[in-house]
Amino acid sequence: MRNKTNELKIDLEDEEIILLGNASESAGKLLKGTVTLFLSEPMRVRSVTLAFTGKMKVSWSEGIGHHQHYHKQEKEIIEHKWQFVPIIDQSSSKRTVFTLGAGEHKWHFDYFLPGHLPQSLEAEGGQVVYRLKAVVERTAFIQNIVKKLPVQIIRCMMPSEFELMQSMEIHNTWAEKIAYNILLPSKVYARGQSLPVNFNIIPLAERLRVRSLTCTLKEYCTYTTTESSKTDNRIVKQLRVEDPFPNEPILTENNTTPIVWAKELVLEIPPLSSHLAFCDADNEMIRIRHKLKFFICLINADGHLSELRCSVPIIIISSFSEQTEINTLPAYDQAWQTALCLEGPPSSSAIDIPPPSEQHSGASTPMEVPNSNTNEYINSDRPTFASPGAEPLWWNGTDLSRVPSYRTATLHNAVPFSNSLPSYDQLASSPRHNAMLEQLSITPVNNTSNNNIDHNQPTPPHSSTSSTCS
């Protein structure tokens, strides 16, 4: 920035954009913030703009010396621009100059990011980067004011994906020497999380001992261009324990009692602040996968060594989404319990929500509906249906088309469940039903008029349904 007294800032409402769920189910997230320009004196500018861009890049080299080849490719993922000060005057083809007064100038911006965007990534051979760039274009021969801000997009796990959180177990019998059982608490782990691995080994051969146990977290990165691809692998974390069972008994001819050797090893996954590991990724140019490998080194009775090897794929993610009322909705079979579905005074902490007649500009005329308990007439903007002599139904006087927010629903008390549903005759007498028929220009047909229907003319589907169900 050439003039330090003039300051250009970009402020985001959320420092990190969190996408919930995988790319196929994520609903996306709103990118929202402000651009602020502080001027110590009036300034002549041509435009003030902001651009949001997302790019995916891969690059690597192969060979040595004269046989070395470079591979590089870049793809634009997303782009959006905001224009705060017009660039071209609509009434003239000439460039227009605007004068901004001294003081603070603030512009708000927002843009909805789709849920399929890949998360931010900084790998050795590939990158996924997002950036905001604000530009104050000055007049000729004067340097523009530019401000750049990287945007971090992180993908978190949805509660619907928690089936991946089920424990994993690897068990088998190897060469009639040992029966082993390796247990993992989950298939998915977040950066910075501990990964415990439990070994349970049953010796089957006499005088067999375990020399060492090894756990290795390995990472596989595949970078792809239109012409070539390359796969790199590296060891992210390794833990080795020598002589893991020093005081445990061994199987002999005299000791035939079943023996179980148990040991837990804990791997620490590198945190997000470290570049020692990357999160799993799967897109057209960058693919990152992880495997957990196990090695059990055995000392046989004659002294020679044997090694058992096995592996299992795991998933490394940025973090897990928190269970808050913002992103958690009630289960479908619990939605009817909200007190907003009842007619009556809410609790003292409830939010005062006006009835539908006050929410809409065209209020309908109140109708008189008999009350089944008192046989008196009550004035209501919404119908109350009940069978004579029966208890009032839980949905009496309720506009079932109104769905409360989760925050509002939690402020009300639950109501007892009822299996009662209105009959067709009760629904047909409601103003909503009649209004719907008027909008569709359909007149209900009685049973007695079925024989008078002109079959040569088309009959709306709703008319035949009404006459059959009446």
Side-chain angles (χ1 to χ4, degrees), residues 209-328:
R209 292 179 297 145
V210 177
R211 181 184 182 184
S212 63
L213 295 176
T214 306
C215 290
T216 302
L217 177 59
K218 202 166 186 180
E219 184 177 77
Y220 301 85
C221 301
T222 301
Y223 309 107
T224 304
T225 64
T226 54
E227 299 177 353
S228 182
S229 65
K230 176 190 179 184
T231 299
D232 292 332
N233 61 80
R234 62 173 178 172
I235 294 177
V236 174
K237 202 77 173 180
Q238 187 176 58
L239 182 60
R240 181 184 176 95
V241 178
E242 299 287 346
D243 193 13
F245 312 109
N247 301 321
E248 296 292 337
I250 62 175
L251 188 65
T252 60
E253 296 180 358
N254 300 327
N255 184 12
T256 58
T257 304
I259 299 173
V260 179
W261 299 329
K263 186 71 175 181
E264 182 183 70
L265 303 184
V266 180
L267 283 176
E268 298 293 337
I269 300 175
L272 276 173
S273 58
S274 170
H275 291 281
L276 297 178
F278 307 120
C279 297
D280 277 52
D282 192 1
N283 52 65
E284 56 183 308
M285 296 175 65
I286 304 173
R287 181 175 179 177
I288 300 178
R289 291 290 182 268
H290 296 87
K291 279 187 177 182
L292 197 58
K293 296 192 172 185
F294 312 102
F295 303 89
I296 303 177
C297 184
L298 304 175
I299 303 177
N300 295 275
D302 56 2
H304 78 273
L305 302 179
S306 303
E307 189 174 69
L308 166 66
R309 302 175 183 179
C310 57
S311 64
V312 60
I314 63 171
I315 300 174
I316 305 295
I317 63 175
S318 299
S319 62
F320 296 99
S321 61
E322 296 182 359
Q323 294 274 359
T324 65
E325 69 175 37
I326 296 177
N327 58 22
T328 305

Side-chain angles (χ1 to χ4, degrees), residues 9 73 105 124 130 186 231 259 304 342 395 399 427:
K9 294 195 308 179
Q73 187 169 331
H105 301 268
E124 294 180 358
Y130 299 92
S186 170
T231 299
I259 299 173
H304 78 273
L342 284 181
W395 50 269
D399 184 359
L427 288 176

Side-chain angles (χ1 to χ4, degrees), residues 66-373:
H66 297 289
H67 301 283
Q68 192 172 23
H69 299 279
Y70 292 92
H71 302 273
K72 184 178 181 180
Q73 187 169 331
E74 180 176 312
K75 178 184 178 182
E76 189 173 84
I77 305 172
I78 189 172
E79 182 181 20
H80 186 77
K81 294 182 178 180
W82 295 267
Q83 181 175 293
F84 303 124
V85 176
I87 299 177
I88 300 177
D89 188 359
Q90 299 297 331
S91 61
S92 175
S93 60
K94 296 182 179 180
R95 303 272 287 181
T96 305
V97 177
F98 301 88
T99 301
L100 298 179
E104 183 181 87
H105 301 268
K106 181 176 289 188
W107 298 274
H108 297 268
F109 66 89
D110 60 72
Y111 181 66
F112 189 81
L113 302 178
H116 61 77
L117 290 178
Q119 68 177 2
S120 301
L121 177 65
E122 288 282 348
E124 294 180 358
Q127 295 177 324
V128 178
V129 292
Y130 299 92
R131 187 183 67 175
L132 284 167
K133 180 180 179 181
V135 178
V136 178
E137 185 183 3
R138 306 287 303 276
T139 54
F141 309 112
I142 301 179
Q143 185 176 2
N144 296 336
I145 303 176
V146 179
K147 180 66 176 181
K148 300 177 183 179
L149 179 69
V151 178
Q152 193 77 7
I153 295 183
I154 296 177
R155 188 172 297 278
C156 293
M157 210 173 175
M158 286 283 286
S160 60
E161 298 179 89
F162 280 175
E163 63 271 9
L164 297 176
M165 299 294 294
Q166 300 297 324
S167 60
M168 299 178 61
E169 186 176 7
I170 307 171
H171 56 87
N172 204 347
T173 300
W174 181 61
E176 297 184 355
K177 294 183 178 182
I178 60 170
Y180 62 92
N181 185 350
I182 304 174
L183 182 63
L184 300 176
S186 170
K187 186 178 181 179
V188 183
Y189 300 91
R191 296 286 298 273
Q193 187 179 4
S194 298
L195 197 163
V197 182
N198 289 278
F199 291 86
N200 291 282
I201 301 175
I202 302 176
L204 303 179
E206 296 180 359
R207 306 184 65 82
L208 184 71
R209 292 179 297 145
V210 177
R211 181 184 182 184
S212 63
L213 295 176
T214 306
C215 290
T216 302
L217 177 59
K218 202 166 186 180
E219 184 177 77
Y220 301 85
C221 301
T222 301
Y223 309 107
T224 304
T225 64
T226 54
E227 299 177 353
S228 182
S229 65
K230 176 190 179 184
T231 299
D232 292 332
N233 61 80
R234 62 173 178 172
I235 294 177
V236 174
K237 202 77 173 180
Q238 187 176 58
L239 182 60
R240 181 184 176 95
V241 178
E242 299 287 346
D243 193 13
F245 312 109
N247 301 321
E248 296 292 337
I250 62 175
L251 188 65
T252 60
E253 296 180 358
N254 300 327
N255 184 12
T256 58
T257 304
I259 299 173
V260 179
W261 299 329
K263 186 71 175 181
E264 182 183 70
L265 303 184
V266 180
L267 283 176
E268 298 293 337
I269 300 175
L272 276 173
S273 58
S274 170
H275 291 281
L276 297 178
F278 307 120
C279 297
D280 277 52
D282 192 1
N283 52 65
E284 56 183 308
M285 296 175 65
I286 304 173
R287 181 175 179 177
I288 300 178
R289 291 290 182 268
H290 296 87
K291 279 187 177 182
L292 197 58
K293 296 192 172 185
F294 312 102
F295 303 89
I296 303 177
C297 184
L298 304 175
I299 303 177
N300 295 275
D302 56 2
H304 78 273
L305 302 179
S306 303
E307 189 174 69
L308 166 66
R309 302 175 183 179
C310 57
S311 64
V312 60
I314 63 171
I315 300 174
I316 305 295
I317 63 175
S318 299
S319 62
F320 296 99
S321 61
E322 296 182 359
Q323 294 274 359
T324 65
E325 69 175 37
I326 296 177
N327 58 22
T328 305
L329 295 175
Y332 181 80
D333 57 356
Q334 297 174 351
W336 61 270
Q337 296 181 2
T338 60
L340 203 61
C341 293
L342 284 181
E343 190 73 25
S347 60
S348 58
S349 61
I351 299 175
D352 187 16
I353 299 178
S357 60
E358 299 178 10
Q359 294 178 359
H360 303 284
S361 57
S364 59
T365 304
M367 63 174 294
E368 292 184 339
V369 183
N371 189 315
S372 60
N373 290 338

